[in-house]
Amino acid sequence: MLISDLPNPPPAIIEEAPKRQETGLAAFLTYPHEDQRYLAELVEILDSLGIAVSIDKHFMTFGDVGTQIVSALTTVDLQFVMCNDATEQSDWCKREICFARDRKIQQIPVFVQSREKLDWLHLQFAHLHGIHLDGFKHSEPAKLAIRQYLLQAIERGFVT
């Protein structure tokens, strides 16, 4: 069964969605568990900007994983996708990306490695501007790049 085939989530799970903070925005993070580069930095920056964060390790409980992910995705405005080889190979990440796209959730790719080396992800996000972190050797410049991108996007109304 595909994640997009799942019914709407039960109300009890939706109530556990992240609380919207100052911006009124909530984000879901799609990432492969095998490669979590810059994930902590992204969470820190989203929190500092007042964007509520939904990340699987914070809301997952025992039970049907697909239903819990659908519940989280139906309560957010944004999906950040950490793009790298591991994401490209992950069926769960691909399902989350397709589900969010089909539900017209605003997607923001975060390229941890070169976009051109990621065939499937490149096709999915070719029409979107993203955050490019490939080439950064340390987390501080990456954090600055993420923060600047998000501040500009919010200011210009690209993130709504």
Side-chain angles (χ1 to χ4, degrees):
M1 174 184 288
L2 296 175
I3 196 169
S4 58
D5 296 332
L6 294 172
N8 284 328
I13 295 176
I14 291 177
E15 292 172 3
E16 296 172 11
K19 291 184 174 69
R20 293 169 185 266
Q21 299 171 6
E22 303 92 67
T23 61
L25 295 172
F28 182 90
L29 305 185
T30 293
Y31 67 99
H33 289 216
E34 302 80 23
D35 187 346
Q36 298 183 25
R37 284 177 288 171
Y38 302 117
L39 186 67
E41 290 84 355
L42 179 59
V43 170
E44 178 185 327
I45 290 163
L46 292 172
D47 282 341
S48 75
L49 294 175
I51 298 172
V53 177
S54 183
I55 185 168
D56 63 357
K57 62 185 173 186
H58 294 162
F59 68 79
M60 295 295 283
T61 59
F62 294 103
D64 182 26
V65 173
T67 301
Q68 292 175 57
I69 290 172
V70 167
S71 295
L73 275 166
T74 58
T75 62
V76 299
D77 310 290
L78 309 168
Q79 178 193 39
F80 287 85
V81 180
M82 304 304 283
C83 299
N84 55 44
D85 284 329
T87 309
E88 181 107 345
Q89 301 304 315
S90 169
D91 288 336
W92 276 110
C93 289
K94 288 179 179 178
R95 290 175 187 166
E96 292 169 11
I97 291 165
C98 291
F99 182 84
R101 181 197 59 224
D102 293 346
R103 297 292 189 282
K104 305 211 182 325
I105 296 168
Q106 187 172 355
Q107 295 175 306
I108 300 173
V110 180
F111 291 96
V112 179
Q113 71 184 70
S114 175
R115 171 185 280 218
E116 289 74 28
K117 294 179 181 176
L118 302 169
D119 296 334
W120 189 85
L121 291 166
H122 181 70
L123 288 173
Q124 297 304 306
F125 299 127
H127 64 289
L128 297 175
H129 292 285
I131 302 170
H132 295 268
L133 302 179
D134 54 306
F136 285 109
K137 304 263 189 265
H138 304 287
S139 66
E140 287 307 312
K143 284 170 59 173
L144 182 60
I146 295 168
R147 186 173 183 76
Q148 286 177 331
Y149 175 92
L150 290 174
L151 287 172
Q152 288 175 355
I154 291 169
E155 182 180 294
R156 294 178 181 164
F158 296 138
V159 174
T160 59

